[in-house]
Amino acid sequence: MTFLDITDPRTGEVYDSIPAASAADVDRAVRRADSAFDAWRSITPGERHDALLALADAVVAQSEQLAAAECRNTGKDTAEVLGEEIPAAVDEIRFMAGAARAGHGPMAGQYVRGHTSMVVREPVGVCALIAPWNHPLGSAVDKLAPALAAGNTVVLKPAETTPMSALLLGEICDRVLPRGVVNVVCGDRDTGRALAANPLVSLVSLTGSTRAGAEVTASAGLVGIKRLHLELGGDAPAIVLADADLAEAADGIIEAAFYNAGQDCTAACRVLVAAEVYDGFVVLLAERAARAEVGPLNNRAHLSRVHSYLTELPGHATVVTGGAPAAGPGFHFEPTVVTGVRQHDPIVQQEVFGPVVTVQSFTDENEAIRMANDVPFGLAASVWSGDPAAGNRLAHRIDAGTVWLNTHGVYATEMPHGGFKQSGYGKDLSTYALDAYTRTKHIMSSTGS
């Protein structure tokens, strides 16, 4: 049996180990979910509503244990997880409980003489949910809640470095929900590939890198056609116009850039600033970055990856502050601001996924939009301006699934989250999330006349 070492990113020390699922384990979990599917899909929306509310209550009851597991496994701040991330997860479960009863109802009508048509929405079946290591609990719930609300059963695979909160969530689900509705398997990429390729899995939902999305797509295609729901990488621009409140913009961008040590697909990592205020704004960003407190990166390999972007900077770029691993134990990296970069530098075109911000200047709105859109990703962006009309004008031209105006990184459960281009497709949050986890059927009957 293979075991996964579990490391505390704050210290770099291994504090636990868990068994990794074999191919046979994955198959058993999928078959367990498949066996539970008919009963779970057949209960009424009201019964699923009640079950999900009970699950939300159980998560609240064990919030401290979940936070402890999440924080030791990720290095996150306990107060932040208890005060923000777990309440958001509970809200998502409760929202989807209501959505289970208020989804698209059957539509009926006579569109061909002598025939009555009805459209119904059905669950798709067994859903493979593959969660990332940056938000292990929150991302798992973002997938779990709509999948269950729609009547599916699931097999959840957390990232190999951060399985602890998912395992506890699985135990909670096993107590509250019918057996087999929620299953958890742990392992590495091979485990994910086996899960995606299992012929009994109808849908694969992944949050992860674009590379991981490509791998899952290839694995899912080995056994025919599967539905895919992909929330992938980001490289979010923050456009600062000359009329913006510069201090407010600097505060908001730094917070959005360094939240979770920059390990967030919507992190404000590319700052685009109007040329006439560029120099002063760089000073504001550098001052705030120099005194920012950030947690650790997830693992040693990722720390090395983030550092490589700084050690391999082209000669025209300048590190204004930070730029190296922080002293002490664990996987910490200094909050970093880099200027002088050009549009096609790797640090601009690729997702660094760490506490690193690049700053570029633009001369007019057209150049700002060109720079914002000229990357492979299209997940999120923000515009900072004192002119609401200008902000909205730019928001409509930015090629991203979410655009914030004078803020960045704020979410509402009622609003969709998902990207364009290599940031994937499909939505988390909101009732739009249910689209991925349901299928539409047309039933036509003859009226005999």
Side-chain angles (χ1 to χ4, degrees):
M1 179 177 291
T2 302
F3 282 81
L4 303 174
D5 286 338
I6 309 302
T7 301
D8 186 338
R10 290 167 294 190
T11 64
E13 296 178 352
V14 173
Y15 70 90
D16 205 346
S17 62
I18 61 169
S22 65
D25 294 330
V26 171
D27 189 63
R28 278 193 292 271
V30 172
R31 291 184 181 280
R32 190 170 181 247
D34 185 58
S35 296
F37 174 59
D38 279 342
W40 180 249
R41 72 174 298 187
S42 299
I43 67 174
T44 66
E47 290 170 321
R48 281 201 298 276
H49 163 271
D50 292 346
L52 286 171
L53 289 184
L55 176 60
D57 290 344
V59 169
V60 171
Q62 287 199 242
S63 58
E64 291 190 1
Q65 295 95 318
L66 283 164
E70 182 87 341
C71 291
R72 190 166 191 196
N73 204 179
T74 63
K76 292 185 179 185
D77 178 72
T78 302
E80 192 171 81
V81 171
L82 277 173
E84 297 179 19
E85 296 194 10
I86 290 181
V90 171
D91 188 58
E92 168 81 349
I93 297 171
R94 288 176 173 159
F95 177 86
M96 289 300 171
R101 302 185 73 169
H104 298 294
M107 297 179 290
Q110 289 197 11
Y111 302 98
V112 176
R113 191 180 301 276
H115 296 76
T116 297
S117 287
M118 179 172 59
V119 174
V120 296
R121 280 184 175 266
E122 301 177 337
V124 299
V126 177
C127 298
L129 312 180
I130 303 177
W133 47 253
N134 61 326
H135 296 295
L137 181 62
S139 291
V141 169
D142 284 347
K143 300 176 182 306
L144 189 73
L148 295 179
N152 303 287
T153 54
V154 306
V155 180
L156 169 64
K157 193 200 88 67
E160 62 184 290
T161 59
T162 56
M164 305 310 279
S165 58
L167 287 169
L168 182 53
L169 178 64
E171 293 175 5
I172 295 170
C173 290
D174 227 25
R175 291 198 303 270
V176 175
L177 304 177
R179 291 295 178 91
V181 170
V182 175
N183 309 269
V184 180
V185 294
C186 297
D188 57 14
R189 292 179 187 175
D190 289 339
T191 306
R193 293 187 188 104
L195 181 57
N198 191 289
L200 292 178
V201 168
S202 298
L203 175 144
V204 182
S205 178
L206 165 79
T207 295
S209 66
T210 300
R211 174 201 52 76
E215 288 188 3
V216 162
T217 300
S219 297
L222 292 174
V223 290
I225 304 299
K226 290 183 187 291
R227 297 179 64 153
L228 298 174
H229 178 273
L230 304 175
E231 201 276 274
L232 307 178
D235 194 10
I239 300 175
V240 182
L241 300 183
D243 63 358
D245 182 323
L246 298 183
E248 180 181 300
D251 287 338
I253 289 170
I254 286 296
E255 181 178 356
F258 296 154
Y259 170 73
N260 197 30
Q263 299 170 123
D264 194 290
C265 51
T266 62
C269 51
R270 292 190 297 128
V271 184
L272 312 177
V273 187
E276 55 265 48
V277 296
Y278 175 83
D279 290 339
F281 196 72
V282 168
V283 171
L284 293 177
L285 286 178
E287 289 174 348
R288 286 156 174 77
R291 61 175 184 261
E293 294 184 5
V294 300
L297 298 177
N298 180 257
N299 55 75
R300 193 177 305 280
H302 187 56
L303 176 67
S304 297
R305 178 183 175 275
V306 170
H307 191 203
S308 71
Y309 280 98
L310 282 303
T311 59
E312 297 170 11
L313 276 177
H316 52 259
T318 299
V319 176
V320 178
T321 187
F331 310 132
H332 296 80
F333 198 85
E334 297 171 344
T336 300
V337 175
V338 183
T339 61
V341 294
R342 297 173 184 168
Q343 188 65 26
H344 294 289
D345 290 341
I347 199 171
V348 172
Q349 289 291 314
Q350 299 172 15
E351 184 180 34
V352 177
F353 218 59
V356 178
V357 169
T358 62
V359 194
Q360 299 168 266
S361 67
F362 62 83
T363 56
D364 57 36
E365 288 185 7
N366 288 330
E367 185 179 21
I369 292 297
R370 179 186 61 78
M371 295 166 69
N373 291 340
D374 186 22
V375 296
F377 305 96
L379 184 59
S382 61
V383 179
W384 302 77
S385 173
D387 180 359
N392 276 285
R393 185 168 62 246
L394 267 65
H396 283 281
R397 297 179 64 192
I398 294 172
D399 198 7
T402 297
V403 181
W404 291 284
L405 302 179
N406 293 322
T407 189
H408 194 115
V410 180
Y411 300 91
T413 305
E414 295 84 354
M415 292 292 107
H417 170 69
F420 308 148
K421 301 191 289 187
Q422 290 191 29
S423 291
Y425 48 83
K427 301 297 183 183
D428 290 331
L429 305 177
S430 81
T431 56
Y432 289 98
L434 293 170
D435 292 343
Y437 299 97
T438 57
R439 62 187 188 182
T440 303
K441 177 182 288 185
H442 170 216
I443 301 173
M444 178 182 278
S445 60
S446 172
T447 61
S449 59

